[in-house]
Structures are given as structure tokens and as C-alpha cells.
Amino acid sequence: MAETAILQVDGQSYELPVITGTEGERAIDISSLRSTTGMITLDDGYGNTGSCESAITFIDGEKGILRYRGVPIEDLATRSSFIEAAELLIFGELPDPEERDEFRQLLTENSALHRDMRKHFDGFPADAHPMAILSAMINALQAYDLPEIHITDSGGFRRAAAALLAKTRTIAAASYKSHIGQPIAYPRYDLPYAENFLHMMFSVPYRDYVPSPEVAHALNMFLVLHADHEQNCSTSTVRMVASGGANLFASVSAGVNALWGPKHGGANMAVVEMLQRIQSDGIPVSRYIDQAKDRSSGVRLMGFGHRIYRNFDPRAQILKTAAHDLLESMQIKDPLLDIAQQVEEAALADDYFRERRLYPNVDFYSGIILRAIGIPTDMFTVMFSIGRTPGWIAHWKEVHDNEAQRIHRPRQIYVGEPLTQWLPPAER
Ligand code: ACO
């Protein structure tokens, strides 16, 4: 017999179905609640609300588990290329060699920007934030890459997905080159994804940049670890926009904007800025921790805490080791890594953080890796966007393909003025 939950309200009893996911998570299905009781649920920040059923990514925040399409993140981070992980997320399974070659070819064919898109770069002021450029340019891509706006067949979707993955990387590198006043470097057709990005970032007409295998590996791992994270703020935004029928590029562009904030993807930049401030102002770590514990200070320990992970963030653990390995291979000594470790140790030993179950998240060590690679701090959230693009595409597709999909339209509890009379200006 199907499991149900009983809700008692106004002296009446209502039976609500209980839904169980493939990993045993349970939810009370309240989709008939308003029509039967006249009431809605209130869940500020959606901490208890499942907004959809999804088959893409599984997280168990208590146990620190993250899997893309069932495959553990630890395996993907160490053994998969970013594009393989992207194909897994977007198309639902690991590609066989033929599928991999075909998709790589599509990426290669679609990596260059239309010549007229250059004019868009010229229109931005030199100090424009790269996230503003990225979201605007992804939106503009629609005009060049998705002429029919609506994707009608699987071939069209594969091409649009490849174009978005390849061009997000090209736009990111081109915005950096425009910002520093260097000529834009064209994508190369012989390089894998991460290496090609580094080439477009750091090659100049008189000198090709060739990354060490360790640098390419670290960037690839960074991208794999950021590729999806189920219904986070930016992905929910993509799904929200997609539910209204918006095209792939418009929906992903909205996701970039949602990622920008310091409580979300902007945290990777905020972490490095925090560590630099501790270093340059000579603030003792213990004093900084005290400030972060004091709500009135307005200071938070950036890179700490997560809505879902209440034990540890598996991505942070992988990135911590990767940061050490990379710095060692490059023979770099970054004082910020030492400060980060001191901050982590002090926070983990502190009751405030322990009681609230606040642990380092994905952003805590990722900035150290990006710095070592030579990525400027204001590009960090752009790097997160490149990594998250496969997830956004996969979630857009899940919404797009769901014939029963309703437009996302939450309700609210109104707490404003009751009926109020309009008064002419002289009487106000
Ligand atoms: N530093 C100090 N205190 C914190 C921190 C922090 N980083 N994070 C949470 N807290 C405290 C809150 O003040 C609150 O304390 P209270 O119970 O005394 O009121 C308690 O812990 C719960 O915090 P919430 O803000 O309710 O937790 P929520 O799940 O809403 O927020 C978030 C999660 C946004 C990640 C938060 O922990 C935070 O702001 N962290 C710093 C920013 C950051 O690193 N963001 C990246 C997240 S990962 C990602 O998006 C890719």
C-alpha cells in the first residue's frame, strides 16, 4: 500500500502521498494542498521544499556524498575529463568512444565566436566585470547560435549544448584579453578543453602558452567538481526561467547572474579577498574568527557553511589536496594557503562552527588553485560559471523535455498594508 502522511487542520484530516526517491529520500507531496485545504506552505529560502523530481545529481549532505548520474564525484574528479563529465550530466550516461569523438568534434566546430560578436566586446567599458560580460554575451549567443530559438530535435540540442560549452570558455577568455588590452586568442582545434582555455587566456601572438600537465589536470578537476550541484540558487534560476519556455541560452545567462553573488559562486573570490585582508592587515586568525562569529560585525567566514552539507563538502576535501599537489608541482609557496589552513583549523576547533555544522565548502580552496594557475581574482566566478555550464544545460533539458512541466510560480503570504485608499497628492 502506498505510504501517506496525515495532515490535520481546522478539525479535518487530509491524506497526502509520500514520495520516495531512488536513494530513499522521502517527501510529502503537497501538490493538492491548496485545492483541498485552501492553504499553502511557507518555507522561506526553500530549505524544506523539493521543487522538482530530478535524475541528474544526488547529494547526501549528512554523509558528504555527491554523485553525477549515480557516479561518485571522487571517481569523476580523478579519472574523467570535464567534457566526459559534461556528457554524463547532459546526456545521462558516460559516452562510448564514438559518442565522445562525435561530441568533441561538435565542440571544436563550435568553439569560435561569430565575427560580429567582437563588436559586443568593444561596447563594454575596459573595467566591466567579467561576470556582466559573460551573462550578456551568453544571452547574445542565442542570436548567432540558435536561430530558430526553439530546439526541436536531439541533433539540434547536441549542437546547441556543444556550442554553449565551447563558447562560454571562448567568451570568458576573450573578456579577459579585452580587459588587459591584448588581442583575443583564437581557440585551437588540437587542444583538449582545459588546455584550450588556458591557451586563449595566456597565449600572445609572439608566444604560445603551454601549461604543464599538472596545471591542466588541476583546472580539469576544478571544472569537473563544479559541473553540477542539483537545485542550488543558480540552477534553480535556470529551471525557473526554462519553465516559462525560455531558450537554452537565455536560461543559462540567467544562471550566470544568479551565481554572481558572494553567498553563492562569488564566494570563491570573496575567500581569496578575505585571506588577502587577513595577510595584508596582519589580522590574527583568532580575531577574524571572533568577528565572523559576531553577527553584528557583518563579517562571515567566506568559504564556510553550506545549506546542504552538514558534515563535510566532498569537493572541498578533494580541492584541498589538489591545491597542495599543484603548489608543490609548481614549486610555489603561497602564504594564503598557510592562512587558509590556519583559518580552517581554528574554525573546526571552535564551538560556534561545530554547533552550526559549518565546514569548508567548494570555494574555500578553489581560489588557491586558480591563483596558482594565474587566473585573476575577478575571473574566479567566471571559472565557476564555465564549470557549472554542463549542469545548467542538463537541468534546462530536464525541464524542456518534461511534457507535464508547469511554469514555476511560487505563492506568498502577503504581510503588507490592508486595503488602503488612494489620496490625491495634496492630502498625503
Ligand atoms: N560564517 C559565520 N557564520 C555563519 C556562516 C559563515 N560562513 N555561515 C553560516 N553561519 C551561521 C549563521 O549566522 C547562522 O547562525 P545563527 O543560527 O546563529 O543565526 C547559522 O550559521 C546558519 O546559517 P544560515 O545563513 O541560516 O545558513 P544557510 O544555509 O542559509 O546559508 C551559506 C548557507 C549561504 C552558504 C552560508 O553558510 C554562508 O553565507 N557562507 C559563506 C559564503 C559562502 O561560502 N558561500 C558559498 C556556498 S557554496 C556555493 O554556493 C558554491
Side-chain angles (χ1 to χ4, degrees):
M1 209 177 75
E3 204 184 348
T4 55
I6 306 291
L7 173 73
Q8 283 188 325
V9 62
D10 293 340
Q12 292 244 41
S13 239
Y14 301 91
E15 228 175 301
L16 299 165
V18 170
I19 308 277
T20 305
T22 49
E23 290 290 341
E25 310 146 290
R26 297 161 81 222
I28 301 170
D29 178 355
I30 56 153
S31 45
S32 64
L33 188 68
R34 190 168 179 281
S35 60
T36 52
T37 67
M39 289 189 188
I40 60 169
T41 55
L42 179 63
D43 184 19
D44 195 8
Y46 309 127
N48 305 280
T49 298
S51 61
C52 60
E53 290 181 278
S54 176
I56 300 170
T57 285
F58 171 70
I59 301 176
D60 183 330
E62 301 297 325
K63 296 189 185 139
I65 293 174
L66 169 61
R67 296 181 198 142
Y68 299 161
R69 303 279 187 187
V71 183
I73 193 65
E74 291 79 6
D75 289 346
L76 292 165
T78 47
R79 302 164 79 172
S80 250
S81 74
F82 174 56
I83 292 306
E84 184 174 83
E87 289 184 77
L88 172 67
L89 284 165
I90 297 170
F91 305 116
E93 34 189 52
L94 287 165
D96 62 30
E98 206 176 303
E99 287 162 339
R100 209 178 56 187
D101 289 349
E102 181 260 345
F103 197 62
R104 260 152 227 256
Q105 185 59 26
L106 271 181
L107 283 163
T108 301
E109 284 165 10
N110 286 285
S111 55
L113 300 177
H114 191 285
R115 194 194 46 174
D116 291 349
M117 280 201 73
R118 293 289 178 80
K119 296 181 196 142
H120 296 255
F121 284 108
D122 295 343
F124 286 101
D127 59 354
H129 196 287
M131 285 295 277
I133 300 179
L134 186 68
S135 73
M137 295 295 263
I138 288 178
N139 204 20
L141 268 182
Q142 179 277 317
Y144 298 95
D145 276 82
L146 198 60
E148 293 97 27
I149 294 198
H150 293 298
I151 290 168
T152 48
D153 57 59
S154 68
F157 173 69
R158 280 183 88 80
R159 205 194 66 75
L164 190 47
L165 281 171
K167 287 182 179 166
T168 298
R169 168 192 61 177
T170 311
I171 291 168
S175 71
Y176 172 64
K177 288 291 195 188
S178 302
H179 179 61
I180 60 169
Q182 282 185 4
I184 288 172
Y186 287 100
R188 277 193 20 199
Y189 297 117
D190 55 333
L191 294 178
Y193 193 92
E195 284 88 337
N196 210 351
F197 172 73
L198 292 167
H199 150 71
M200 286 189 273
M201 283 288 287
F202 302 127
S203 284
V204 284
Y206 46 86
R207 182 175 40 81
D208 264 351
Y209 171 85
V210 182
S212 69
E214 290 83 5
V215 164
H217 172 74
L219 179 58
N220 183 71
M221 181 185 274
F222 169 93
L223 295 172
V224 170
L225 289 173
H226 285 76
D228 193 42
H229 213 235
E230 50 115 308
Q231 310 308 321
N232 56 84
C233 172
S234 56
T235 303
S236 297
T237 301
V238 170
R239 291 188 77 114
M240 167 78 82
V241 177
S243 78
N247 70 68
L248 175 65
F249 294 81
S251 305
V252 168
S253 163
V256 171
N257 287 324
L259 188 73
W260 195 347
K263 286 188 180 174
H264 192 15
N268 59 9
M269 205 170 139
V271 168
V272 164
E273 286 167 352
M274 171 185 83
L275 299 173
Q276 280 170 332
R277 211 166 41 247
I278 294 175
Q279 183 194 27
S280 63
D281 296 356
I283 307 171
V285 165
S286 58
R287 176 134 50 93
Y288 198 87
I289 296 278
D290 285 343
Q291 282 176 12
K293 285 164 29 180
D294 175 7
R295 206 176 244 258
S296 67
S297 71
V299 171
R300 275 199 167 195
L301 196 54
M302 300 313 287
F304 256 73
H306 199 278
R307 174 63 62 81
I308 305 287
Y309 294 117
R310 295 296 181 190
N311 210 330
F312 65 93
D313 178 339
R315 302 166 302 171
Q317 292 194 324
I318 297 170
L319 284 171
K320 181 179 178 181
T321 310
H324 277 284
D325 292 350
L326 180 64
L327 295 197
E328 200 177 289
S329 79
M330 296 176 85
Q331 297 180 336
I332 296 178
K333 180 113 185 65
D334 186 346
L336 296 196
L337 181 59
D338 297 335
I339 298 174
Q341 275 178 301
Q342 289 169 32
V343 169
E344 182 186 354
E345 273 165 32
L348 294 182
D350 194 296
D351 283 348
Y352 173 96
F353 292 89
R354 279 219 297 260
E355 279 159 14
R356 289 167 180 75
R357 304 173 77 184
L358 303 170
Y359 295 90
N361 60 47
V362 67
D363 295 314
F364 195 67
Y365 283 103
S366 64
I368 307 277
I369 293 179
L370 295 178
R371 257 164 73 87
I373 294 175
I375 309 286
T377 315
D378 66 358
M379 286 281 291
F380 283 10
T381 316
V382 167
M383 300 305 296
F384 194 148
S385 305
I386 298 173
R388 186 53 56 85
T389 301
W392 289 332
I393 296 173
H395 284 271
W396 180 88
K397 177 93 164 48
E398 203 169 62
V399 172
H400 179 264
D401 288 355
N402 180 0
E403 282 170 13
Q405 181 70 57
R406 300 177 77 198
I407 188 166
H408 285 202
R409 203 314 184 179
R411 288 186 176 259
Q412 64 165 14
I413 298 295
Y414 176 69
V415 294
E417 294 294 324
L419 180 62
T420 305
Q421 202 187 353
W422 184 87
L423 295 172
E427 292 175 33
R428 289 173 199 166

